[in-house]
Amino acid sequence: TCALPILLCYPVSLIFVVAALWMKPTLLAFFIGMVIVKAFSYALNTPVKEFIYLPTSKDVKMKAKSIVESFGSKGAKGIGSVVTDGLRSDVLLLINAGCMISLGVLAFWIVVALFVGKKYD
């Protein structure tokens, strides 16, 4: 089972980042957290996404990538903006709700990664 640990690296590392930010919500912690998330995204998430498309045809790869890019990435950013705008008056509530939502999404991501990893292997 080679794919499973690779698929779990990014979401599990993000859980640690979100938990650390929830415990110590300072501006410096958020800056360091964003640097870590961007670095992990570049080093782990992007190559793993390409790895998952290897057994598919070029047509399926193109369609799947466009769906993931348009609905996944941009949809998540849009939902995040709505939550941030709705809770901007109470920073503590925004941090708590944002961390809980992030941990929920990451838990779902891990379940999907487990399923995809088993299917891939």
Side-chain angles (χ1 to χ4, degrees):
T1 61
C2 177
L4 194 54
I6 295 169
L7 289 172
L8 293 175
C9 284
Y10 187 64
V12 168
S13 62
L14 290 183
I15 286 174
F16 288 112
V17 171
V18 171
L21 292 175
W22 202 358
M23 290 187 290
K24 187 164 179 76
T26 64
L27 189 57
L28 179 62
F30 276 95
F31 174 75
I32 293 170
M34 283 305 302
V35 169
I36 291 170
V37 167
K38 292 291 184 183
F40 284 172
S41 176
Y42 182 75
L44 292 174
N45 195 41
T46 303
V48 169
K49 284 193 298 187
E50 294 300 320
F51 171 74
I52 290 298
Y53 295 126
L54 286 178
T56 63
S57 68
K58 286 188 178 192
D59 187 45
V60 170
K61 179 180 177 179
M62 184 188 72
K63 289 177 183 177
K65 281 179 123 179
S66 64
I67 289 171
V68 167
E69 188 62 34
S70 60
F71 291 108
S73 300
K74 290 176 178 48
K77 287 179 184 178
I79 292 169
S81 295
V82 169
V83 171
T84 302
D85 187 52
L87 299 175
R88 68 178 176 215
S89 61
D90 187 354
V91 176
L92 188 59
L93 179 61
L94 175 61
I95 291 170
N96 288 331
C99 288
M100 286 189 291
I101 291 169
S102 296
L103 292 173
V105 168
L106 288 167
F108 177 71
W109 188 344
I110 288 173
V111 169
V112 171
L114 290 169
F115 174 76
V116 170
K118 288 178 183 174
K119 278 286 193 193
Y120 186 87
D121 286 336

